[in-house]
DNA sequence: TCAACCTTGTTATACTATAACATATCCCGT
DNA sequence: ACGGGATATGTTATAGTATAACAAGGTTGA
């Protein structure tokens, strides 16, 4: 599978955003309520991961008197629908910019600018899957998160 | 690389433990102080990941009047020496049972019994490394954590 | 009508992690 | 012996992340 989202390349981020939002509406219909939609829009504003409390703060700055569970619920919903991903290493969340094509995502996290690229991977064929099979371990989900420096941040 | 630690297979865990401890002493010398050694021993007691506060509680139950930084410092030291690994998904730590052979670990986490197997992987050749190279992203470290069911827990 | 389900509001609390400062020890060069 | 740097530990306080539990409204369909 190829790279499916390109924060580290020049791209038309506005269409990047509107496409993802359109796909979200298609997937969720009614269930994309106001708060959920607003949180998704926040995540889509950039390719930087947001913590739950970042989201909460933004909601509050918009006049919503929200408590932590509001942010977590919205994020949990988006993750469950495949519209967002949790980045374990950052305790934070990014929007999925290609929910329709996203099956087994892996992430490239720039430790300097905090942008996160989503790439696809083929876990069924890798060394990990082979080892798991040899042990009789049944993999249900794999977290793959690489940290490093994006092209921009390599040249200070 | 092959599977380097076998919690999901029948194995002689006592020697599993003493070997890791011997390697730790060799790597650290003096720097494996009493607390650090004790924490490593705790992690080596089983293949289940322990949270920092689990470690803290055990220290306290042994008469050590420890505060959270004591546990975190010991764990951070062990991780820095390659004697333990942090499991991001669990916010917890496991001992490395083969520190001498451990370069780019990946983990198999059983969601039922919480045991964690460490396996090696070859990130230089995988699809992720290829995508990163295509983007000019320089990977420094990769977290690979698979969740699922170990052989024992698949048959309830 | 009412029951089941989903969504949101709200309070309180649990869990995870680190900052900051104090104290002690050891090793080393003078 | 002295002083200074590096390392390790002790201690207090606080920051950051996440969820339990209960209340209340809305929709849907039997
Ligand atoms: Zn974009
Ligand atoms: Zn960057
Ligand atoms: Zn063992
Ligand atoms: Zn198991």
């Amino acid at each position: 599978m190829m790279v499916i989202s390109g924060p580290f390349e020049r791209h038309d981020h506005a269409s990047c955003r509107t496409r993802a939002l359109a796909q979200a509406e298609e997937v969720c219909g009614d269930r994309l309520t106001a708060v959920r939609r607003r949180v998704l829009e926040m995540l889509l504003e950039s390719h930087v991961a947001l913590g739950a409390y970042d989201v909460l703060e933004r909601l509050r700055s918009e006049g919503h008197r929200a408590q932590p569970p509001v942010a977590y619920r919205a994020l949990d919903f988006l993750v469950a629908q495949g519209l967002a991903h949790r980045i374990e290493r950052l305790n934070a969340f990014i929007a999925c910019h290609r929910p329709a094509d996203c099956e087994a995502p892996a992430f490239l996290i720039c430790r300097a600018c905090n942008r996160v690229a989503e790439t696809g991977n083929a876990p069924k064929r890798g060394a990990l899957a082979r080892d798991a099979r040899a042990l009789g371990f049944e993999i249900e989900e794999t977290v793959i998160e690489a940290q490093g420096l994006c092209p921009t941040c390599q040249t200070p």
PDB file of all heavy atoms in Angstrom, chain C residues 8-20:
ATOM      1  P    DT C   8     -23.732  13.710  21.166  1.00  0.00           P
ATOM      2  OP1  DT C   8     -23.694  14.801  20.177  1.00  0.00           O
ATOM      3  OP2  DT C   8     -22.574  12.851  21.408  1.00  0.00           O
ATOM      4  O5'  DT C   8     -24.160  14.358  22.572  1.00  0.00           O
ATOM      5  C5'  DT C   8     -25.305  15.184  22.638  1.00  0.00           C
ATOM      6  C4'  DT C   8     -25.568  15.570  24.080  1.00  0.00           C
ATOM      7  O4'  DT C   8     -25.806  14.377  24.852  1.00  0.00           O
ATOM      8  C3'  DT C   8     -24.408  16.274  24.786  1.00  0.00           C
ATOM      9  O3'  DT C   8     -24.828  17.595  25.116  1.00  0.00           O
ATOM     10  C2'  DT C   8     -24.126  15.429  26.029  1.00  0.00           C
ATOM     11  C1'  DT C   8     -25.401  14.611  26.155  1.00  0.00           C
ATOM     12  N1   DT C   8     -25.227  13.294  26.819  1.00  0.00           N
ATOM     13  C2   DT C   8     -25.882  13.068  27.996  1.00  0.00           C
ATOM     14  O2   DT C   8     -26.588  13.895  28.544  1.00  0.00           O
ATOM     15  N3   DT C   8     -25.685  11.826  28.535  1.00  0.00           N
ATOM     16  C4   DT C   8     -24.902  10.801  28.020  1.00  0.00           C
ATOM     17  O4   DT C   8     -24.800   9.719  28.598  1.00  0.00           O
ATOM     18  C5   DT C   8     -24.248  11.108  26.772  1.00  0.00           C
ATOM     19  C7   DT C   8     -23.386  10.077  26.118  1.00  0.00           C
ATOM     20  C6   DT C   8     -24.431  12.324  26.242  1.00  0.00           C
ATOM     21  P    DG C   9     -23.854  18.596  25.863  1.00  0.00           P
ATOM     22  OP1  DG C   9     -24.273  19.970  25.527  1.00  0.00           O
ATOM     23  OP2  DG C   9     -22.455  18.163  25.686  1.00  0.00           O
ATOM     24  O5'  DG C   9     -24.259  18.321  27.384  1.00  0.00           O
ATOM     25  C5'  DG C   9     -25.582  18.607  27.813  1.00  0.00           C
ATOM     26  C4'  DG C   9     -25.659  18.489  29.336  1.00  0.00           C
ATOM     27  O4'  DG C   9     -25.573  17.093  29.697  1.00  0.00           O
ATOM     28  C3'  DG C   9     -24.530  19.199  30.084  1.00  0.00           C
ATOM     29  O3'  DG C   9     -25.103  19.976  31.133  1.00  0.00           O
ATOM     30  C2'  DG C   9     -23.670  18.063  30.635  1.00  0.00           C
ATOM     31  C1'  DG C   9     -24.680  16.942  30.780  1.00  0.00           C
ATOM     32  N9   DG C   9     -24.134  15.596  30.670  1.00  0.00           N
ATOM     33  C8   DG C   9     -23.465  15.061  29.593  1.00  0.00           C
ATOM     34  N7   DG C   9     -23.100  13.821  29.764  1.00  0.00           N
ATOM     35  C5   DG C   9     -23.563  13.507  31.037  1.00  0.00           C
ATOM     36  C6   DG C   9     -23.456  12.303  31.783  1.00  0.00           C
ATOM     37  O6   DG C   9     -22.933  11.243  31.447  1.00  0.00           O
ATOM     38  N1   DG C   9     -24.055  12.413  33.031  1.00  0.00           N
ATOM     39  C2   DG C   9     -24.671  13.548  33.510  1.00  0.00           C
ATOM     40  N2   DG C   9     -25.189  13.470  34.736  1.00  0.00           N
ATOM     41  N3   DG C   9     -24.781  14.684  32.831  1.00  0.00           N
ATOM     42  C4   DG C   9     -24.195  14.592  31.605  1.00  0.00           C
ATOM     43  P    DT C  10     -24.208  20.982  31.970  1.00  0.00           P
ATOM     44  OP1  DT C  10     -25.102  21.958  32.606  1.00  0.00           O
ATOM     45  OP2  DT C  10     -23.076  21.437  31.147  1.00  0.00           O
ATOM     46  O5'  DT C  10     -23.636  20.034  33.111  1.00  0.00           O
ATOM     47  C5'  DT C  10     -24.567  19.359  33.961  1.00  0.00           C
ATOM     48  C4'  DT C  10     -23.837  18.616  35.047  1.00  0.00           C
ATOM     49  O4'  DT C  10     -23.470  17.295  34.564  1.00  0.00           O
ATOM     50  C3'  DT C  10     -22.546  19.270  35.531  1.00  0.00           C
ATOM     51  O3'  DT C  10     -22.731  19.596  36.893  1.00  0.00           O
ATOM     52  C2'  DT C  10     -21.466  18.209  35.300  1.00  0.00           C
ATOM     53  C1'  DT C  10     -22.271  16.925  35.180  1.00  0.00           C
ATOM     54  N1   DT C  10     -21.663  15.870  34.326  1.00  0.00           N
ATOM     55  C2   DT C  10     -21.615  14.585  34.816  1.00  0.00           C
ATOM     56  O2   DT C  10     -22.043  14.277  35.913  1.00  0.00           O
ATOM     57  N3   DT C  10     -21.046  13.673  33.960  1.00  0.00           N
ATOM     58  C4   DT C  10     -20.529  13.908  32.701  1.00  0.00           C
ATOM     59  O4   DT C  10     -20.043  13.014  32.029  1.00  0.00           O
ATOM     60  C5   DT C  10     -20.620  15.276  32.251  1.00  0.00           C
ATOM     61  C7   DT C  10     -20.093  15.643  30.903  1.00  0.00           C
ATOM     62  C6   DT C  10     -21.172  16.177  33.072  1.00  0.00           C
ATOM     63  P    DT C  11     -21.580  20.399  37.695  1.00  0.00           P
ATOM     64  OP1  DT C  11     -22.263  21.416  38.516  1.00  0.00           O
ATOM     65  OP2  DT C  11     -20.461  20.772  36.807  1.00  0.00           O
ATOM     66  O5'  DT C  11     -21.057  19.245  38.670  1.00  0.00           O
ATOM     67  C5'  DT C  11     -22.006  18.375  39.287  1.00  0.00           C
ATOM     68  C4'  DT C  11     -21.280  17.237  39.970  1.00  0.00           C
ATOM     69  O4'  DT C  11     -20.951  16.219  38.994  1.00  0.00           O
ATOM     70  C3'  DT C  11     -19.960  17.619  40.642  1.00  0.00           C
ATOM     71  O3'  DT C  11     -20.012  17.245  42.014  1.00  0.00           O
ATOM     72  C2'  DT C  11     -18.886  16.858  39.870  1.00  0.00           C
ATOM     73  C1'  DT C  11     -19.673  15.693  39.286  1.00  0.00           C
ATOM     74  N1   DT C  11     -19.101  15.181  38.027  1.00  0.00           N
ATOM     75  C2   DT C  11     -18.947  13.825  37.854  1.00  0.00           C
ATOM     76  O2   DT C  11     -19.261  13.003  38.703  1.00  0.00           O
ATOM     77  N3   DT C  11     -18.420  13.448  36.658  1.00  0.00           N
ATOM     78  C4   DT C  11     -18.032  14.286  35.629  1.00  0.00           C
ATOM     79  O4   DT C  11     -17.566  13.838  34.590  1.00  0.00           O
ATOM     80  C5   DT C  11     -18.219  15.699  35.879  1.00  0.00           C
ATOM     81  C7   DT C  11     -17.818  16.688  34.824  1.00  0.00           C
ATOM     82  C6   DT C  11     -18.739  16.074  37.047  1.00  0.00           C
ATOM     83  P    DA C  12     -18.777  17.634  42.992  1.00  0.00           P
ATOM     84  OP1  DA C  12     -19.389  18.006  44.274  1.00  0.00           O
ATOM     85  OP2  DA C  12     -17.844  18.565  42.311  1.00  0.00           O
ATOM     86  O5'  DA C  12     -18.018  16.245  43.156  1.00  0.00           O
ATOM     87  C5'  DA C  12     -18.771  15.029  43.093  1.00  0.00           C
ATOM     88  C4'  DA C  12     -17.840  13.887  42.746  1.00  0.00           C
ATOM     89  O4'  DA C  12     -17.543  13.918  41.332  1.00  0.00           O
ATOM     90  C3'  DA C  12     -16.486  13.947  43.465  1.00  0.00           C
ATOM     91  O3'  DA C  12     -16.386  12.825  44.326  1.00  0.00           O
ATOM     92  C2'  DA C  12     -15.441  13.922  42.333  1.00  0.00           C
ATOM     93  C1'  DA C  12     -16.234  13.422  41.138  1.00  0.00           C
ATOM     94  N9   DA C  12     -15.747  13.909  39.849  1.00  0.00           N
ATOM     95  C8   DA C  12     -15.571  15.204  39.459  1.00  0.00           C
ATOM     96  N7   DA C  12     -15.115  15.329  38.224  1.00  0.00           N
ATOM     97  C5   DA C  12     -14.982  14.025  37.787  1.00  0.00           C
ATOM     98  C6   DA C  12     -14.548  13.473  36.571  1.00  0.00           C
ATOM     99  N6   DA C  12     -14.146  14.209  35.521  1.00  0.00           N
ATOM    100  N1   DA C  12     -14.540  12.123  36.455  1.00  0.00           N
ATOM    101  C2   DA C  12     -14.943  11.393  37.507  1.00  0.00           C
ATOM    102  N3   DA C  12     -15.368  11.779  38.700  1.00  0.00           N
ATOM    103  C4   DA C  12     -15.374  13.132  38.778  1.00  0.00           C
ATOM    104  P    DT C  13     -15.069  12.682  45.277  1.00  0.00           P
ATOM    105  OP1  DT C  13     -15.519  11.906  46.427  1.00  0.00           O
ATOM    106  OP2  DT C  13     -14.362  13.980  45.430  1.00  0.00           O
ATOM    107  O5'  DT C  13     -14.150  11.734  44.371  1.00  0.00           O
ATOM    108  C5'  DT C  13     -14.772  10.618  43.739  1.00  0.00           C
ATOM    109  C4'  DT C  13     -13.799   9.975  42.772  1.00  0.00           C
ATOM    110  O4'  DT C  13     -13.645  10.783  41.586  1.00  0.00           O
ATOM    111  C3'  DT C  13     -12.394   9.771  43.333  1.00  0.00           C
ATOM    112  O3'  DT C  13     -12.132   8.390  43.239  1.00  0.00           O
ATOM    113  C2'  DT C  13     -11.504  10.601  42.406  1.00  0.00           C
ATOM    114  C1'  DT C  13     -12.319  10.614  41.134  1.00  0.00           C
ATOM    115  N1   DT C  13     -12.028  11.699  40.165  1.00  0.00           N
ATOM    116  C2   DT C  13     -11.735  11.346  38.854  1.00  0.00           C
ATOM    117  O2   DT C  13     -11.718  10.192  38.462  1.00  0.00           O
ATOM    118  N3   DT C  13     -11.488  12.408  38.018  1.00  0.00           N
ATOM    119  C4   DT C  13     -11.481  13.745  38.349  1.00  0.00           C
ATOM    120  O4   DT C  13     -11.232  14.605  37.509  1.00  0.00           O
ATOM    121  C5   DT C  13     -11.786  14.043  39.740  1.00  0.00           C
ATOM    122  C7   DT C  13     -11.815  15.480  40.203  1.00  0.00           C
ATOM    123  C6   DT C  13     -12.042  13.021  40.560  1.00  0.00           C
ATOM    124  P    DA C  14     -10.876   7.742  43.965  1.00  0.00           P
ATOM    125  OP1  DA C  14     -11.406   6.681  44.834  1.00  0.00           O
ATOM    126  OP2  DA C  14      -9.946   8.769  44.501  1.00  0.00           O
ATOM    127  O5'  DA C  14     -10.163   7.058  42.721  1.00  0.00           O
ATOM    128  C5'  DA C  14     -10.972   6.341  41.810  1.00  0.00           C
ATOM    129  C4'  DA C  14     -10.161   6.055  40.569  1.00  0.00           C
ATOM    130  O4'  DA C  14     -10.020   7.274  39.790  1.00  0.00           O
ATOM    131  C3'  DA C  14      -8.752   5.574  40.868  1.00  0.00           C
ATOM    132  O3'  DA C  14      -8.513   4.467  40.019  1.00  0.00           O
ATOM    133  C2'  DA C  14      -7.860   6.773  40.521  1.00  0.00           C
ATOM    134  C1'  DA C  14      -8.666   7.461  39.426  1.00  0.00           C
ATOM    135  N9   DA C  14      -8.478   8.913  39.304  1.00  0.00           N
ATOM    136  C8   DA C  14      -8.666   9.876  40.244  1.00  0.00           C
ATOM    137  N7   DA C  14      -8.425  11.100  39.816  1.00  0.00           N
ATOM    138  C5   DA C  14      -8.055  10.914  38.502  1.00  0.00           C
ATOM    139  C6   DA C  14      -7.672  11.826  37.497  1.00  0.00           C
ATOM    140  N6   DA C  14      -7.601  13.151  37.672  1.00  0.00           N
ATOM    141  N1   DA C  14      -7.357  11.324  36.283  1.00  0.00           N
ATOM    142  C2   DA C  14      -7.428   9.995  36.117  1.00  0.00           C
ATOM    143  N3   DA C  14      -7.774   9.040  36.974  1.00  0.00           N
ATOM    144  C4   DA C  14      -8.082   9.573  38.171  1.00  0.00           C
ATOM    145  P    DC C  15      -7.233   3.548  40.210  1.00  0.00           P
ATOM    146  OP1  DC C  15      -7.671   2.181  39.880  1.00  0.00           O
ATOM    147  OP2  DC C  15      -6.563   3.854  41.508  1.00  0.00           O
ATOM    148  O5'  DC C  15      -6.265   4.040  39.064  1.00  0.00           O
ATOM    149  C5'  DC C  15      -6.728   4.060  37.714  1.00  0.00           C
ATOM    150  C4'  DC C  15      -5.754   4.839  36.884  1.00  0.00           C
ATOM    151  O4'  DC C  15      -5.834   6.247  37.214  1.00  0.00           O
ATOM    152  C3'  DC C  15      -4.283   4.458  37.084  1.00  0.00           C
ATOM    153  O3'  DC C  15      -3.807   4.049  35.819  1.00  0.00           O
ATOM    154  C2'  DC C  15      -3.617   5.737  37.596  1.00  0.00           C
ATOM    155  C1'  DC C  15      -4.547   6.805  37.050  1.00  0.00           C
ATOM    156  N1   DC C  15      -4.551   8.136  37.709  1.00  0.00           N
ATOM    157  C2   DC C  15      -4.289   9.249  36.922  1.00  0.00           C
ATOM    158  O2   DC C  15      -4.051   9.082  35.723  1.00  0.00           O
ATOM    159  N3   DC C  15      -4.308  10.479  37.493  1.00  0.00           N
ATOM    160  C4   DC C  15      -4.586  10.607  38.794  1.00  0.00           C
ATOM    161  N4   DC C  15      -4.593  11.843  39.303  1.00  0.00           N
ATOM    162  C5   DC C  15      -4.867   9.473  39.610  1.00  0.00           C
ATOM    163  C6   DC C  15      -4.834   8.260  39.040  1.00  0.00           C
ATOM    164  P    DT C  16      -2.294   3.496  35.658  1.00  0.00           P
ATOM    165  OP1  DT C  16      -2.312   2.522  34.564  1.00  0.00           O
ATOM    166  OP2  DT C  16      -1.755   3.143  36.997  1.00  0.00           O
ATOM    167  O5'  DT C  16      -1.519   4.793  35.159  1.00  0.00           O
ATOM    168  C5'  DT C  16      -1.848   5.352  33.892  1.00  0.00           C
ATOM    169  C4'  DT C  16      -0.969   6.557  33.642  1.00  0.00           C
ATOM    170  O4'  DT C  16      -1.300   7.603  34.570  1.00  0.00           O
ATOM    171  C3'  DT C  16       0.526   6.307  33.793  1.00  0.00           C
ATOM    172  O3'  DT C  16       1.128   6.628  32.564  1.00  0.00           O
ATOM    173  C2'  DT C  16       0.961   7.226  34.935  1.00  0.00           C
ATOM    174  C1'  DT C  16      -0.112   8.290  34.907  1.00  0.00           C
ATOM    175  N1   DT C  16      -0.365   8.991  36.183  1.00  0.00           N
ATOM    176  C2   DT C  16      -0.258  10.362  36.208  1.00  0.00           C
ATOM    177  O2   DT C  16       0.056  11.015  35.233  1.00  0.00           O
ATOM    178  N3   DT C  16      -0.530  10.945  37.430  1.00  0.00           N
ATOM    179  C4   DT C  16      -0.890  10.295  38.597  1.00  0.00           C
ATOM    180  O4   DT C  16      -1.105  10.934  39.627  1.00  0.00           O
ATOM    181  C5   DT C  16      -0.984   8.864  38.505  1.00  0.00           C
ATOM    182  C7   DT C  16      -1.366   8.075  39.713  1.00  0.00           C
ATOM    183  C6   DT C  16      -0.724   8.288  37.311  1.00  0.00           C
ATOM    184  P    DA C  17       2.737   6.560  32.425  1.00  0.00           P
ATOM    185  OP1  DA C  17       3.031   6.475  30.985  1.00  0.00           O
ATOM    186  OP2  DA C  17       3.233   5.533  33.355  1.00  0.00           O
ATOM    187  O5'  DA C  17       3.243   7.985  32.929  1.00  0.00           O
ATOM    188  C5'  DA C  17       2.826   9.157  32.235  1.00  0.00           C
ATOM    189  C4'  DA C  17       3.491  10.368  32.848  1.00  0.00           C
ATOM    190  O4'  DA C  17       2.948  10.640  34.141  1.00  0.00           O
ATOM    191  C3'  DA C  17       5.003  10.231  33.053  1.00  0.00           C
ATOM    192  O3'  DA C  17       5.615  11.107  32.129  1.00  0.00           O
ATOM    193  C2'  DA C  17       5.223  10.602  34.532  1.00  0.00           C
ATOM    194  C1'  DA C  17       3.929  11.308  34.905  1.00  0.00           C
ATOM    195  N9   DA C  17       3.517  11.199  36.308  1.00  0.00           N
ATOM    196  C8   DA C  17       3.262  10.063  37.024  1.00  0.00           C
ATOM    197  N7   DA C  17       2.876  10.277  38.255  1.00  0.00           N
ATOM    198  C5   DA C  17       2.885  11.660  38.361  1.00  0.00           C
ATOM    199  C6   DA C  17       2.572  12.535  39.420  1.00  0.00           C
ATOM    200  N6   DA C  17       2.177  12.115  40.622  1.00  0.00           N
ATOM    201  N1   DA C  17       2.684  13.867  39.189  1.00  0.00           N
ATOM    202  C2   DA C  17       3.076  14.284  37.977  1.00  0.00           C
ATOM    203  N3   DA C  17       3.396  13.560  36.895  1.00  0.00           N
ATOM    204  C4   DA C  17       3.280  12.252  37.165  1.00  0.00           C
ATOM    205  P    DT C  18       7.206  11.291  32.118  1.00  0.00           P
ATOM    206  OP1  DT C  18       7.555  11.637  30.729  1.00  0.00           O
ATOM    207  OP2  DT C  18       7.864  10.185  32.818  1.00  0.00           O
ATOM    208  O5'  DT C  18       7.397  12.618  32.984  1.00  0.00           O
ATOM    209  C5'  DT C  18       6.538  13.714  32.703  1.00  0.00           C
ATOM    210  C4'  DT C  18       6.792  14.845  33.671  1.00  0.00           C
ATOM    211  O4'  DT C  18       6.255  14.524  34.974  1.00  0.00           O
ATOM    212  C3'  DT C  18       8.259  15.203  33.894  1.00  0.00           C
ATOM    213  O3'  DT C  18       8.388  16.585  33.642  1.00  0.00           O
ATOM    214  C2'  DT C  18       8.519  14.840  35.351  1.00  0.00           C
ATOM    215  C1'  DT C  18       7.124  15.052  35.941  1.00  0.00           C
ATOM    216  N1   DT C  18       6.861  14.324  37.214  1.00  0.00           N
ATOM    217  C2   DT C  18       6.448  15.041  38.315  1.00  0.00           C
ATOM    218  O2   DT C  18       6.298  16.244  38.316  1.00  0.00           O
ATOM    219  N3   DT C  18       6.225  14.281  39.432  1.00  0.00           N
ATOM    220  C4   DT C  18       6.351  12.911  39.547  1.00  0.00           C
ATOM    221  O4   DT C  18       6.117  12.340  40.604  1.00  0.00           O
ATOM    222  C5   DT C  18       6.785  12.224  38.352  1.00  0.00           C
ATOM    223  C7   DT C  18       6.952  10.740  38.378  1.00  0.00           C
ATOM    224  C6   DT C  18       7.013  12.953  37.253  1.00  0.00           C
ATOM    225  P    DA C  19       9.815  17.269  33.567  1.00  0.00           P
ATOM    226  OP1  DA C  19       9.973  17.753  32.179  1.00  0.00           O
ATOM    227  OP2  DA C  19      10.835  16.389  34.165  1.00  0.00           O
ATOM    228  O5'  DA C  19       9.618  18.541  34.517  1.00  0.00           O
ATOM    229  C5'  DA C  19       8.304  19.054  34.698  1.00  0.00           C
ATOM    230  C4'  DA C  19       8.304  20.077  35.817  1.00  0.00           C
ATOM    231  O4'  DA C  19       7.972  19.437  37.063  1.00  0.00           O
ATOM    232  C3'  DA C  19       9.641  20.776  36.040  1.00  0.00           C
ATOM    233  O3'  DA C  19       9.381  22.111  36.455  1.00  0.00           O
ATOM    234  C2'  DA C  19      10.271  19.952  37.174  1.00  0.00           C
ATOM    235  C1'  DA C  19       9.037  19.560  37.985  1.00  0.00           C
ATOM    236  N9   DA C  19       9.144  18.275  38.663  1.00  0.00           N
ATOM    237  C8   DA C  19       9.535  17.078  38.122  1.00  0.00           C
ATOM    238  N7   DA C  19       9.507  16.082  38.969  1.00  0.00           N
ATOM    239  C5   DA C  19       9.065  16.654  40.145  1.00  0.00           C
ATOM    240  C6   DA C  19       8.828  16.126  41.440  1.00  0.00           C
ATOM    241  N6   DA C  19       9.003  14.835  41.735  1.00  0.00           N
ATOM    242  N1   DA C  19       8.392  16.974  42.394  1.00  0.00           N
ATOM    243  C2   DA C  19       8.211  18.264  42.071  1.00  0.00           C
ATOM    244  N3   DA C  19       8.396  18.882  40.903  1.00  0.00           N
ATOM    245  C4   DA C  19       8.831  18.001  39.973  1.00  0.00           C
ATOM    246  P    DA C  20      10.572  23.186  36.556  1.00  0.00           P
ATOM    247  OP1  DA C  20       9.969  24.504  36.260  1.00  0.00           O
ATOM    248  OP2  DA C  20      11.740  22.696  35.785  1.00  0.00           O
ATOM    249  O5'  DA C  20      10.951  23.136  38.100  1.00  0.00           O
ATOM    250  C5'  DA C  20       9.916  23.111  39.063  1.00  0.00           C
ATOM    251  C4'  DA C  20      10.505  22.937  40.439  1.00  0.00           C
ATOM    252  O4'  DA C  20      10.504  21.532  40.788  1.00  0.00           O
ATOM    253  C3'  DA C  20      11.962  23.414  40.569  1.00  0.00           C
ATOM    254  O3'  DA C  20      12.036  24.227  41.716  1.00  0.00           O
ATOM    255  C2'  DA C  20      12.753  22.126  40.704  1.00  0.00           C
ATOM    256  C1'  DA C  20      11.731  21.227  41.404  1.00  0.00           C
ATOM    257  N9   DA C  20      11.944  19.802  41.267  1.00  0.00           N
ATOM    258  C8   DA C  20      12.443  19.114  40.186  1.00  0.00           C
ATOM    259  N7   DA C  20      12.511  17.819  40.366  1.00  0.00           N
ATOM    260  C5   DA C  20      12.030  17.628  41.661  1.00  0.00           C
ATOM    261  C6   DA C  20      11.855  16.481  42.441  1.00  0.00           C
ATOM    262  N6   DA C  20      12.146  15.255  42.027  1.00  0.00           N
ATOM    263  N1   DA C  20      11.345  16.648  43.681  1.00  0.00           N
ATOM    264  C2   DA C  20      11.052  17.888  44.103  1.00  0.00           C
ATOM    265  N3   DA C  20      11.174  19.051  43.454  1.00  0.00           N
ATOM    266  C4   DA C  20      11.680  18.843  42.224  1.00  0.00           C
TER     267       DA C  20
END
